[in-house]
Structure formats: structure tokens, C-alpha cells
Amino acid sequence: MKYTNIREEELKNKIAQDYFWLYDTTKIIGNVDFCVATHQSEKELFEQQSLLWAEAKKGKSDIYNSIVQLILTIGKARTFDKFLPPAFLGAFDGEKIAFIPYNDIADVFYQNDFNWNVTPSNYDTKEFKQIHQKVKSNIDKNALLFYYTKDDKELKRFIKQNFVESKRGISKIKIDKNNFMVIYNKWVETVKPSISFNWEAAKKHGIIDGDFYLADLLSDKNTTLKENLFVVLNETLYEMNRHKNEYGAFTSTDVEFNDSQKAHTQFWNKYERPPKQEYWDYIIERRDLLVPPDIRERKGSFFTPQIWVELSQKYIADVLGDDWQDEYTVWDCAAGTGNLLTGLTNKYNIWASTLDKADVDVMKDRIKNGANLLEDHVFQFDFLNDEFTKLPQGLQDIINDEEKRKKLLIYINPPYAEHGNKKIMTDGNIRNKSGVAISQKSHDYFQTLTGGRAARELFVQFFTRIYREIPNSMLAEFSTLKILQAPNFSDFRKFFQAKLEKIFLMPANTFDNVKGQFPIGFFIWKTEKKEIFEETIADVYDKSGEFIGNKILYAGNKTNINKWATTFYDNKGERIGYIMCHTPDFQHNINVWIAIDPEENTAKPITAKNLIEVSIYLTVRKCIEASWLNDRDQFLYPNDEWKNDFEFQNDCLAYTLFNNNIQSKFGTNHWIPFSEKEINARDKFASSFMTDFINGKLKIENDKPDLFGNTKQAKPIKREFSNEAQSVFNAGRELWKYYHAQKGINVNASLYDIREHFQGRNDKGKMNNKSQDEHYMKLIGTLRENLKILANKIAPKVYDYGFLKK
């Protein structure tokens, strides 16, 4: 081995000196260990060009694993969105170095269904193994692994031939379907400010900066090659909305530069335009990627993955028959760039409308390149606000004919804007999006029809107009499960009495720019047949499109677990804490916790009288892990069988005692589940409430008076715990003992305080995930393991007692 007994930093210095002395190796790129870049003068305006990003390991290592770790690190941080990618990725240790061309691996960064949340250094994940196979095959096939000792000459020759910097600097960067988004982000920073245009005003009319970028990108010598785009570049200015006026002459709106086109010229001198023609259709079709997130949500510019497009059409055929494309007229009234219609064969029966003229232009351009649509059947239309008299006459004829409507299939992935998601509620810098839907002129109309909060959702407004004004048609649509499960949609379900013929579910994060772990459904509704939805069986597919089983979906109702919680509120007893009772579904479980102080208006007091019920509430909502599939499942008002199951009650108490957010700095800690003697405490606790409660020593007032109006004290109960619960107590006791053996501790520390003591906090104030204290890590690991066993024991009873439906 050439480089032995040296630290990683020294190894990087030696590799830089021995092999990359002609280049700049001082550049820092995110979390990448080692970067090789071209030299750059101080006057250079453009980003320094990277040639290699590499992972470094001292000693000997598995070089393939190192490159995979690098790829996962880059993908997790989306480093390629912030810096122009290099020609090569690589890895080296004290013995060898390996390279892989970036373009050979770049496609993995753009997979919709890839989980980038895995730990890059965890070699056992399926994501790691997937990339490992690809990396190893590429390196072995192309002989891109070099040993310093025996391959020294070959390595230097490889670097000389492939890490090329000419006298003029690096050659222009080629643009393809993998990097056009990265370059767009840089264009937004560099070129967009030099365009004399009111972007905020334009946004209200659906005009986006991405249209100007496309005009630049698909041009040669500053002249856009695609004349049908909404915006084109004409040498020194942009022309927008070019069309024939009433006199038959072409007219357009000119948009100029505010710096004599200086920034524009300097920026595009760095890149080779246009891209290869084979990429044009893909880039134009993916205009949705150039739409800002707020407009994307408001106008429905979410690109439906092809895997679900194909499957949805198969399900339509199952419901309507194999000849459905000849027998039915299809209208996508939220078409975007028309990708949902890909694969349909009878263009004479297809209509496509969208809010933005730019999207209409894109579809018509695609028609010229082979898209199976009729140009006269593609048009601009605001479905929520325009009158149907604005529709093409052929489509009007169908809508106005009762019999023809029965053969009309409205096939859409409609706009979606959620009224108050978790990010909006917790991030003070982001405004609530309820105004997005409420600002629509149509809102008042839909509010009178459906009532309640459901009317704020854009996709509900689409369905309402379809159901009300295009009766007896078929509706095939992609949407969340709110329409079936959300309690706030109960009024809408009474209004929308269409028969659900078929449904399948898929993970939401397979759609572009959707990060949540929740299900999206594809629904086929027959509006002619009237029935109120109660329940259905849905087919379920994983992110790869593989069928994984079925799931029963039930109509959400207002008799949920939070309604049950109102039966045990106690505003009279001594308060030992508060429980936050949030929206009763899995996605909001993160907002359910116990604390000493009432942090928000959903907080309800905890006393000796309702401690058991509170423990059941928290445990029921926490003991079953959330997944993308159960994310919208509702927690329900239980039956009464739990009242006679004392083992269940005590199991829930044990689970709650070791799964709460109590912090002693906010008040007296009544939640220590041990006596001072049990854990060799350094001093007396401020409260013995919990051990007194467990041992049946507390007097608990009963609110229910007898026939004479007198109240009695409830009989104290000494709590007996199951073997699984006792294992949790035993593990917790050892942790408390270890903590109290430390110096300078807080005698009244809670479990949260103990974790904070050993794990500490980072620079941002967030508690670290791990501790340097190995014995503590072993103790907390044992506690968590036993808590999980207890949770698994409790879980079946959550269903038995009606808190959840199977």
C-alpha cells in the first residue's frame, strides 16, 4: 500500500500533490470530501468548473462502498442543485482510486421513487445495494479502478486525457435532460434579474420565468428554434404571446433586458445551446419542473408519473370495457402539458384544456412532434371560472346532451392545495395557503353547494362542478383520500353521491416534488349512480408499481377519538401536565405529546382522575408506526370493552411514562416512575405523585354524585403490570440509576432531561441523535427495544377496542 499510517486529511493532501497538482483541490463542495476543479481567475464571473467529487478513506477500504456512500450523500443534500456536477465521481483510499462518469449515474438522482432519507453510511439498505450494483458494474466494465503502486502511469495518463483544461478554459457545458434543471436554477439567479419584467404581476396570469428559460435554452444564436412556445427569444429581446391579431398581422409583447443583455450573454457563453434535439420533447414536456411551487399547487402542474398513467388506463378499461377509447369521449380539464393523455389511441375522442396558454403552446408543439392529439381539441380554459359557452362547440354538444354525457369520461389529475399542512403550521416564515383556494371567484358558489372547509380545496371545486354541471358523466381522477376519510369532508360526501367503481392507491412521493409519506388514490366514479360512500376495498401498489395487497377504506366521521377525549376532560383536579390532542389521523401524530405546560389551545389538563384515559389516548396514537399507507387513517371513538381490561390500561400507562416530552425546567415533574430508593437518587424528589398513583395511595375524587347529591372518593387501585410492561420499567430503572450516578445532575430530571444530558444539542439547538457515552447508548437502546415490544403487544387491542378499523 502506497499511503500507510496517515490520517484522512493528510491522504487527501498527498493525492492532490501527487496526481492533481495541475488543478485546484481547495474547493469545498457541500459534504463532499475531495474536489478537483479547474483554476479560475478572480475576474471569472461563472461558477468554477468541477472535474471530480470524491470520497476519501484512510487505509484500505471497499472502494465501491465509498462511491455509493458519496452518491447517497450527494443525493440526500441535492448537491447537484447547488453546484454544477463534475465530469467524474470517485473514491480513494491509501491503496487505490476509482472513477465513475457522472452521466452514467446521474439518472438515479432524478428517480421519483428513490428514498434519499437513508443514512449514506448504512450499507444494508436496499437503496445502497441498488446503487452498489450499478457502480461496481460500471467501474469493472470500463477499467476505472487504479492501484497507485502498479497502475501509476495508467492513472496519470487517465487524468491527463480526461481532466482536460484547454488554453481557453474548459469547453462549453453540454445541456441534457439530467442537468437542465440545475442550469435553470443558476439562470434564475443570474439572468432573471436582468429581464425587465414584473414577475409578481405575471405570476397572477400564469406566466413563469421557466418560459423565458425555455426560450433561451432552445435557441441558436439567440433565436428560439421553437416558434410555438409562449415566449421566444429574438436576438436582443423576448417576444411573449405572439399571435395574429384581428387584422391578420402577427403581434406580441416585447420584453427587454435592463443591462443591455450583459448577464444573459455572459451566462450563456458557458453553456452549449441548444441541447441535442433528442432531448427537446422531454424538456418541453417537463415544463412543470420550471413552475414555482405555489403556482404548481394552485394550477395542478404536477407531472403524473408514467407508471401510474398506464395503470390508471388499465383500470379504466376494467370498468368501461376494452373498447372504452372508441366508445367514450375523454376530457382532461386540468391537462397541464398533457402527459396524462399519453398512451391514448383515439385522438378524435380526446379533448385537453388547461389554464395557461403556455401549456397549450407546449401541447401543440408536442402534436407536431408526434403527440396523439388534435390541435383543435387542445385549448385554454379556466375550468373553475369560465362559462361552458367558451368551450369548443364539439365539446359543448356532448355536455349539453344528456345521453352523450353518459359517454363522457373526465380524466384528470386536478390541482391540489392543502389548507394548513404540517409545514405551514410549524414554519413561521410560510403563510397559510387557505387563501389560495378562497381567492377563486368560484369559491362562494362551491361553498353554498358543499359547505364547510372541503370547499376550500381546489380538487373538491373541480369535482363539485363536474358533479353539478356535467351530471351522469364518468370521472376518473387522482387525489388524496380526504374525499373518503377526512371528517371535514362529511358534508361533501353527502353532496357528492357518486358510486365509486374502482380505486387503487400509490405512494404520494412517487410524484414530482411531493415529499410526504401518504397515499394518493386513483378513483373511478360513476356520477349517474347515486350512493353515499361508506367503505370500499382499494388495491395497493408500491413505488415500483408492484401490487402488494388490499386496504379497506372507511368514510371518516366526527365520532373520532378526539370526541371520546372530551368525555374525560378534568378542569378541577390538580394538574400534573397537559396532552396535546391534534387532528385524529396518523399524519398528525407528531403533534400529539405530553408536556408540563399548555403550549397550545389543543392542550387538555392531566390529573389523577383522567391519567389512565390520557395514557390510553397517547398510546393508541403512538404505538403503531405511521406509514405512507395508513397516514390518513382516522382514530375513532372506541367501544366500552377497554374499561374492563386493566392489563391494557396499565400497559398504556407504562408506555406513556416512558414516551413523553416532560421537561422539569417548565415546572414540577410529577412523572418520575420510581422512588428515590429504587434508583439511588442523590436527593428527595419534588413530587412522588407517580409512584403514589401506581401504588394506589392517591385519593381520587369522583365527580358523579349519588342520589343525594354527594360525591365519593374513587377507590384507589394498585397497578399490576404485565411482564412486557415490567421489562420497560426495569430498563428505565437502570437508565435512571446511571444518570443519578453522574455528577452535577438534576434530581428531578425527566426522561427527556436525561436524554438531553447525555446526548447534548448541536449548534442549531436540536438534541443530538446519539451520545458519546457507550453505556448510556446501551441503556437507552434496551429501553427503546422493550418499549417496542410493549407497543406490539398493545397494537392488536387498538383494533379490538375500535380505536382503529382494520
Side-chain angles (χ1 to χ4, degrees):
M1 188 164 64
K2 184 174 182 178
Y3 304 104
T4 59
N5 300 322
I6 60 175
R7 299 173 64 180
E8 187 176 295
E9 286 302 314
E10 185 178 353
L11 173 64
K12 289 192 284 188
N13 290 337
K14 288 190 175 294
I15 293 298
Q17 179 180 340
D18 291 351
Y19 294 101
F20 298 104
W21 70 90
L22 292 176
Y23 308 94
D24 181 357
T25 58
T26 63
K27 189 176 182 181
I28 297 176
I29 299 289
N31 295 322
V32 176
D33 283 347
F34 185 77
C35 175
V36 177
T38 59
H39 285 289
Q40 185 178 38
S41 68
E42 294 181 2
K43 295 181 180 180
E44 177 64 55
L45 296 176
F46 300 103
E47 179 183 331
Q48 189 176 9
Q49 179 66 39
S50 296
L51 301 172
L52 172 69
W53 294 349
E55 182 82 8
K57 300 286 186 185
K58 65 179 182 179
K60 283 187 179 182
S61 66
D62 185 319
I63 209 73
Y64 305 112
N65 284 351
S66 297
I67 293 183
V68 176
Q69 183 175 335
L70 172 67
I71 292 168
L72 290 172
T73 299
I74 292 169
K76 188 171 187 177
R78 295 196 68 81
T79 311
F80 50 84
D81 279 343
K82 302 163 190 171
F83 302 93
L84 281 174
F88 292 92
L89 298 179
F92 58 85
D93 57 20
E95 178 186 42
K96 56 194 173 296
I97 187 170
F99 303 91
I100 184 170
Y102 180 86
N103 286 339
D104 287 357
I105 200 69
D107 60 320
V108 75
F109 295 128
Y110 297 90
Q111 291 182 28
N112 288 323
D113 58 354
F114 195 89
N115 177 20
W116 291 107
N117 292 320
V118 297
T119 303
S121 57
N122 184 350
Y123 299 166
D124 295 325
T125 65
K126 62 180 179 181
E127 289 78 11
F128 192 98
K129 293 174 182 176
Q130 175 187 334
I131 298 178
H132 186 281
Q133 183 178 6
K134 188 168 188 174
V135 166
K136 188 175 189 305
S137 173
N138 186 290
I139 293 174
D140 292 347
K141 180 180 178 181
N142 296 300
L144 298 178
L145 174 62
F146 302 90
Y147 288 81
Y148 307 126
T149 303
K150 67 176 183 178
D151 300 323
D152 184 74
K153 291 182 179 179
E154 291 82 357
L155 172 58
K156 289 177 178 177
R157 185 183 304 116
F158 175 84
I159 294 171
K160 183 178 180 180
Q161 291 175 347
N162 291 277
F163 288 52
V164 180
E165 183 181 25
S166 68
K167 294 179 180 179
R168 298 180 182 178
I170 201 76
S171 58
K172 283 191 174 185
I173 299 167
K174 296 182 185 297
I175 303 173
D176 56 33
K177 65 180 183 179
N178 293 322
N179 67 3
F180 82 98
M181 270 298 297
V182 180
I183 296 166
Y184 162 69
N185 292 332
K186 297 181 179 299
W187 180 94
V188 168
E189 295 177 3
T190 307
V191 179
K192 181 180 175 180
S194 72
I195 301 173
S196 295
F197 198 59
N198 187 332
W199 297 105
E200 286 303 312
K203 188 185 294 185
K204 296 176 183 178
H205 298 282
I207 301 170
I208 60 171
D209 53 26
D211 290 324
F212 288 78
Y213 172 68
L214 285 177
D216 279 357
L217 183 62
L218 300 176
S219 67
D220 184 27
K221 298 178 181 178
N222 278 350
T223 301
T224 302
L225 301 174
K226 288 275 190 179
E227 295 181 357
N228 291 325
L229 295 181
F230 182 72
V231 178
V232 297
L233 178 63
N234 189 357
E235 295 185 353
T236 59
L237 53 78
Y238 296 99
E239 293 180 356
M240 187 174 66
N241 193 20
R242 189 170 185 265
H243 62 280
K244 283 186 178 181
N245 61 22
E246 57 185 311
Y247 307 110
F250 281 102
T251 183
S252 63
T253 300
D254 291 347
V255 179
E256 299 181 340
F257 296 95
N258 58 29
D259 67 343
S260 301
Q261 209 171 351
K262 181 179 178 181
H264 182 272
T265 300
Q266 291 177 340
F267 181 85
W268 288 112
N269 280 343
K270 194 74 173 177
Y271 302 98
E272 184 175 312
R273 291 185 294 166
K276 288 183 179 180
Q277 195 160 356
E278 64 191 79
Y279 301 130
W280 290 12
D281 286 345
Y282 175 85
I283 291 172
I284 292 172
E285 187 179 8
R286 296 315 311 267
R287 176 183 178 269
D288 64 296
L289 295 175
L290 309 179
V291 177
D294 57 337
I295 294 180
R296 182 190 297 266
E297 289 170 343
R298 179 164 60 88
K299 297 187 174 178
S301 300
F302 286 105
F303 190 88
T304 312
Q306 191 61 30
I307 184 176
W308 307 130
V309 172
E310 294 173 3
L311 189 60
S312 68
Q313 292 171 12
K314 176 183 179 297
Y315 270 68
I316 293 173
D318 290 344
V319 173
L320 301 182
D322 291 338
D323 297 327
W324 69 277
Q325 294 192 53
D326 296 323
E327 296 176 359
Y328 282 79
T329 297
V330 178
W331 180 20
D332 183 352
C333 55
T337 57
N339 89 292
L340 187 58
L341 303 173
T342 301
L344 299 186
T345 56
N346 189 349
K347 62 184 177 182
Y348 298 99
N349 282 359
I350 302 171
W351 298 85
S353 63
T354 185
L355 187 61
D356 292 337
K357 185 179 183 305
D359 281 337
V360 173
D361 293 340
V362 167
M363 280 192 280
K364 290 186 175 181
D365 185 80
R366 290 181 57 218
I367 290 171
K368 293 182 177 180
N369 287 278
N372 195 36
L373 300 169
L374 288 178
E375 191 165 327
D376 290 343
H377 283 202
V378 175
F379 57 98
Q380 184 179 6
F381 185 73
D382 183 348
F383 187 81
L384 296 185
N385 294 291
D386 286 345
E387 297 296 331
F388 284 166
T389 53
K390 292 185 178 181
L391 293 172
Q393 190 59 50
L395 191 53
Q396 284 191 54
D397 292 343
I398 295 171
I399 289 176
N400 295 330
D401 187 302
E402 184 176 351
E403 289 304 314
K404 289 181 179 179
R405 278 201 305 271
K406 295 178 181 180
K407 292 292 186 177
L408 174 62
L409 172 67
I410 299 171
Y411 179 35
I412 53 174
N413 181 2
Y416 175 75
E418 187 175 2
H419 169 74
N421 58 37
K422 179 176 66 178
K423 184 176 182 182
I424 290 170
M425 290 190 291
T426 58
D427 187 342
N429 295 321
I430 300 177
R431 295 182 180 180
N432 195 297
K433 289 188 294 186
S434 60
V436 170
I438 293 173
S439 66
Q440 297 288 327
K441 291 191 305 180
S442 55
H443 173 263
D444 291 342
Y445 169 69
F446 296 115
Q447 179 73 24
T448 59
L449 291 176
T450 62
R453 290 174 59 187
R456 300 183 181 188
E457 305 281 359
L458 289 185
F459 77 97
V460 168
Q461 294 181 20
F462 268 76
F463 299 167
T464 301
R465 188 172 194 191
I466 292 166
Y467 184 76
R468 181 80 172 187
E469 299 186 33
I470 317 177
N472 300 331
S473 60
M474 296 292 299
L475 171 61
E477 49 86 8
F478 290 87
S479 65
T480 66
L481 304 188
K482 283 182 177 182
I483 191 172
L484 305 183
Q485 294 183 311
N488 289 330
F489 280 59
S490 58
D491 289 337
F492 176 76
R493 284 190 285 274
K494 293 175 184 177
F495 163 79
F496 188 79
Q497 296 185 23
K499 184 179 189 309
L500 180 56
E501 295 285 351
K502 206 150 190 177
I503 179 175
F504 72 81
L505 308 180
M506 69 223 83
N509 62 5
T510 57
F511 288 72
D512 283 338
N513 297 302
V514 179
K515 298 180 181 178
Q517 298 287 325
F518 59 92
I520 292 287
F522 177 71
F523 306 72
I524 302 176
W525 302 93
K526 188 173 186 178
T527 67
E528 182 183 10
K529 191 167 184 179
K530 308 303 179 189
E531 66 176 45
I532 297 177
F533 173 76
E534 294 293 338
E535 66 178 69
T536 191
I537 299 175
D539 294 337
V540 183
Y541 294 84
D542 65 15
K543 62 185 180 182
S544 301
E546 294 294 326
F547 177 76
I548 58 175
N550 300 107
K551 180 176 176 61
I552 302 176
L553 301 174
Y554 302 92
N557 58 67
K558 296 180 179 178
T559 56
N560 55 52
I561 195 172
N562 285 350
K563 185 73 173 178
W564 174 68
T566 63
T567 65
F568 56 78
Y569 288 166
D570 179 19
N571 292 314
K572 296 180 180 179
E574 179 186 358
R575 302 181 180 192
I576 64 168
Y578 294 82
I579 184 166
M580 300 343 127
C581 301
H582 265 282
T583 307
D585 56 26
F586 275 92
Q587 68 165 320
H588 289 94
N589 280 354
I590 192 173
N591 298 317
V592 175
W593 70 87
I594 288 175
I596 287 179
D597 61 327
E599 298 183 13
E600 49 186 275
N601 58 13
T602 63
K604 306 302 177 185
I606 306 173
T607 67
K609 192 174 74 172
N610 68 8
L611 176 57
I612 291 299
E613 288 85 352
V614 167
S615 298
I616 292 172
Y617 180 95
L618 180 125
T619 303
V620 162
R621 296 202 58 172
K622 297 284 190 178
C623 70
I624 299 172
E625 291 187 8
S627 68
W628 73 267
L629 189 55
N630 69 16
D631 186 74
R632 296 312 197 248
D633 287 1
Q634 302 286 309
F635 291 92
L636 305 172
Y637 198 114
N639 57 47
D640 288 337
E641 294 180 22
W642 66 269
K643 293 180 179 179
N644 298 317
D645 189 341
F646 296 105
E647 182 173 309
F648 169 73
Q649 295 176 26
N650 294 338
D651 280 345
C652 290
L653 175 61
Y655 184 88
T656 300
L657 291 177
F658 297 93
N659 194 347
N660 60 67
N661 285 33
I662 294 294
Q663 298 178 61
S664 60
K665 68 180 180 181
F666 293 117
T668 303
N669 179 12
H670 298 288
W671 294 77
I672 302 175
F674 308 107
S675 68
E676 291 88 346
K677 290 182 180 179
E678 284 183 274
I679 60 171
N680 300 323
R682 287 181 171 270
D683 206 340
K684 185 176 176 62
F685 298 149
S687 170
S688 61
F689 174 92
M690 199 55 66
T691 51
D692 289 344
F693 181 87
I694 290 171
N695 292 308
K697 295 180 180 181
L698 289 182
K699 297 178 180 180
I700 303 173
E701 293 292 334
N702 189 343
D703 279 347
K704 295 182 179 179
D706 59 20
L707 294 175
F708 304 101
N710 300 316
T711 58
K712 296 182 179 180
Q713 291 180 351
K715 184 178 180 180
I717 299 175
K718 180 177 173 55
R719 300 287 160 182
E720 300 290 339
F721 293 99
S722 65
N723 292 334
E724 292 84 357
Q726 288 182 39
S727 295
V728 171
F729 273 96
N730 293 339
R733 187 179 298 107
E734 293 304 312
L735 179 61
W736 252 268
K737 280 184 180 180
Y738 184 63
Y739 172 74
H740 277 264
Q742 312 299 310
K743 294 181 180 180
I745 56 96
N746 171 10
V747 173
N748 296 297
S750 65
L751 176 60
Y752 186 97
D753 297 332
I754 293 173
R755 290 174 52 227
E756 185 178 35
H757 172 83
F758 286 106
Q759 294 171 211
R761 294 184 178 275
N762 60 24
D763 294 339
K764 296 181 180 179
K766 184 179 179 181
M767 189 185 298
N768 296 316
N769 293 326
K770 296 181 179 180
S771 169
Q772 299 298 318
D773 189 319
E774 293 184 2
H775 187 60
Y776 162 78
M777 290 302 296
K778 181 179 179 181
L779 292 174
I780 194 71
T782 302
L783 175 59
R784 289 168 177 164
E785 182 179 337
N786 282 286
L787 258 180
K788 191 169 184 179
I789 293 171
L790 180 60
N792 291 337
K793 175 178 183 274
I794 295 169
K797 293 184 178 181
V798 173
Y799 295 96
D800 292 342
Y801 299 150
F803 290 103
L804 284 172
K805 288 185 177 180
K806 291 184 179 179

